[in-house]
Amino acid sequence: MKLQLAIDMADTDQALRMAAQIHDVVDIIEIGTPMIVREGMVPVRAMKKEYPDAIVLADVKIVDGGAVEAGYAFEAGADIVTVLAVAADETIADVLKTARQFARRTMADMITVRDAARRAVELDKLGLDIICVHTAVDVQWQGRSPYADLSKIKPLVTYAKTAVAGGAGMGTIPLIKSIGADLVVVGSALTGAADLRRAAFEMKKLMS
Amino acid sequence: MKLQLAIDMADTDQALRMAAQIHDVVDIIEIGTPMIVREGMVPVRAMKKEYPDAIVLADVKIVDGGAVEAGYAFEAGADIVTVLAVAADETIADVLKTARQFARRTMADMITVRDAARRAVELDKLGLDIICVHTAVDVQWQGRSPYADLSKIKPLVTYAKTAVAGGAGMGTIPLIKSIGADLVVVGSALTGAADLRRAAFEMKKLMS
């Protein structure tokens, strides 16, 4: 199981300081959507410049203009770009085509998808590299979690890797591991840790 | 009927040059999602600095982290921020709450919504200021258009203003006007015009 650190509430300098602590520990460094809303592709470009060997995911959450927006992310150096699972298949096809041109990867974000099983099968056939079940941060306080969806899609997906995002932390890693996700996306449980490097190591240990 | 110019495929300097031509003609200047993906809130801030009286819409298409992302847009000076209609009601509520704190406005983007009538009624009750039916640029070549959805939602929406986006141009203004949209979002039909100012004036004339 691989670990993706999501950096959401930071500026480019803060994100680079976090990366300095964990670029050799985590598997993927995510430039989160709030960072992109504030700074566009600046943090993606800076991260790849400073850590060219790091795998950087740009959480653009594309829902239209698939070729253009994926192109911007890949030109900035992103290794993986996200597209919303609720996007039209045509948009997703354009993201996939652009990813192929750049020899990069795609992740579908399943946020707000109602029938996760059906959509995951469709996305798997379309050729997404990673399918990420995801509970919005805005609804996590209601006790909703993405683990039921992860269990549902895991046996149905054959080509894509599976990932899970939304409130994951030390306490939920054993459950996620038991379901068999390929990748777990962790945000505040790591970025809020007193010692980020130590926390990331601990989490990797729990995952192995 | 009001006119929103969507600037998608431009950098901040190009967008400012376009605004110089039409800031006194169009009703709303939209910083489109592709611009935000590339440059974040830089163009929003620059547009409000140069044209403080212009109404600037930041097409963030929020789908999670409603308070944070809307906050970034309003702090940058945006008068209106967009949230995806497919977002969780909790996310939309957070966007609305943040808009109230800043005394700004919200637009729901209906892109990829299947049951437009039902969702429009829900969004109207939630208190969105504008509900925008929208056909993704990636599917417009199939002949799909948002006008059927506009006809459907127009009689159902009581509080919100209605808007339409996706392929609108000189040829479709009469139809949009006859359905009774409050706002039409026009992108390439204007930004691709040889004389942007003249084209914007012509379109306003058609709309009146």
Side-chain angles (χ1 to χ4, degrees):
Chain A
M1 194 159 65
K2 294 195 168 181
L3 176 60
Q4 175 173 318
L5 175 70
I7 308 178
D8 284 319
M9 309 286 286
D11 61 25
T12 295
D13 289 341
Q14 291 166 331
L16 288 173
R17 282 200 293 274
M18 285 187 202
Q21 295 179 62
I22 49 75
H23 68 98
D24 57 338
V25 186
V26 307
D27 301 286
I28 299 173
I29 298 173
E30 172 191 331
I31 303 298
T33 315
M35 285 199 72
I36 295 172
V37 168
R38 279 219 302 188
E39 299 192 72
M41 287 298 117
V42 171
V44 173
R45 215 176 287 275
M47 191 64 73
K48 283 302 287 189
K49 192 181 170 195
E50 194 73 19
Y51 301 102
D53 295 334
I55 296 175
V56 173
L57 177 143
D59 193 16
V60 181
K61 293 191 171 72
I62 296 170
V63 70
D64 195 10
V68 169
E69 294 185 16
Y72 288 162
F74 294 139
E75 280 163 14
D79 299 284
I80 307 170
V81 73
T82 61
V83 58
L84 288 185
V86 295
D89 287 356
E90 292 81 355
T91 298
I92 291 174
D94 282 354
V95 171
L96 285 166
K97 197 175 154 189
T98 308
R100 259 178 244 121
Q101 285 163 355
F102 282 85
R104 310 284 171 83
R105 283 185 291 162
T106 54
M107 174 189 278
D109 183 332
M110 295 278 282
I111 194 166
T112 82
V113 167
R114 281 173 206 276
D115 188 343
R118 197 182 69 181
R119 192 58 176 151
V121 169
E122 290 169 354
L123 295 170
D124 193 38
K125 277 189 192 144
L126 284 170
L128 275 294
D129 298 293
I130 309 165
I131 298 174
C132 183
V133 293
H134 182 189
T135 300
V137 67
D138 296 328
V139 302
Q140 284 167 25
W141 60 273
Q142 296 178 331
R144 284 199 243 165
S145 86
Y147 309 121
D149 278 348
L150 179 62
S151 301
K152 255 187 257 170
I153 76 159
K154 181 65 195 168
L156 302 173
V157 165
T158 56
Y159 169 79
K161 302 285 185 190
T162 56
V164 61
M170 299 288 178
T172 49
I173 294 294
L175 172 61
I176 295 168
K177 196 177 160 186
S178 73
I179 304 173
D182 300 296
L183 174 69
V184 57
V185 182
V186 180
S188 56
L190 285 178
T191 57
D195 184 335
L196 172 56
R197 186 172 176 83
R198 188 176 172 162
F201 266 119
E202 266 177 41
M203 194 164 279
K204 284 292 285 184
K205 206 174 153 191
L206 261 176
M207 289 165 63
S208 65
Chain B
M1 192 159 68
K2 293 194 169 181
L3 175 60
Q4 175 173 319
L5 174 70
I7 307 179
D8 284 320
M9 309 285 286
D11 61 25
T12 294
D13 289 341
Q14 291 166 330
L16 288 173
R17 281 200 294 275
M18 284 188 204
Q21 294 179 62
I22 49 76
H23 67 98
D24 56 339
V25 185
V26 306
D27 301 287
I28 299 173
I29 297 173
E30 172 191 331
I31 303 299
T33 315
M35 285 199 71
I36 295 173
V37 168
R38 281 219 301 186
E39 299 192 72
M41 286 299 115
V42 171
V44 173
R45 215 176 286 275
M47 191 64 72
K48 283 302 287 190
K49 193 181 170 197
E50 194 73 19
Y51 301 102
D53 295 334
I55 296 175
V56 173
L57 177 144
D59 193 16
V60 181
K61 291 190 172 73
I62 297 170
V63 70
D64 195 10
V68 168
E69 294 185 16
Y72 288 161
F74 294 139
E75 280 163 14
D79 299 284
I80 308 170
V81 74
T82 61
V83 58
L84 288 186
V86 295
D89 286 355
E90 291 81 355
T91 298
I92 291 174
D94 282 354
V95 171
L96 284 168
K97 198 176 152 189
T98 308
R100 261 178 243 121
Q101 286 163 356
F102 282 84
R104 309 283 172 85
R105 283 184 291 162
T106 54
M107 176 189 277
D109 184 332
M110 295 278 283
I111 194 165
T112 82
V113 168
R114 281 173 207 276
D115 189 341
R118 198 182 67 182
R119 191 56 176 151
V121 168
E122 291 168 354
L123 295 170
D124 193 39
K125 278 190 191 143
L126 284 170
L128 275 294
D129 298 293
I130 308 166
I131 299 175
C132 183
V133 294
H134 183 189
T135 301
V137 66
D138 296 328
V139 302
Q140 284 167 26
W141 60 272
Q142 295 179 331
R144 283 199 245 166
S145 87
Y147 309 121
D149 278 348
L150 178 61
S151 301
K152 255 187 257 170
I153 76 159
K154 181 64 195 169
L156 302 173
V157 165
T158 56
Y159 169 79
K161 302 284 184 191
T162 56
V164 61
M170 300 288 177
T172 49
I173 294 295
L175 172 62
I176 295 167
K177 196 177 159 185
S178 73
I179 304 173
D182 300 296
L183 174 69
V184 56
V185 181
V186 179
S188 55
L190 285 177
T191 57
D195 184 334
L196 172 56
R197 186 173 177 82
R198 189 176 171 160
F201 265 120
E202 267 177 41
M203 194 163 278
K204 284 292 284 184
K205 206 174 152 190
L206 261 176
M207 291 166 61
S208 64

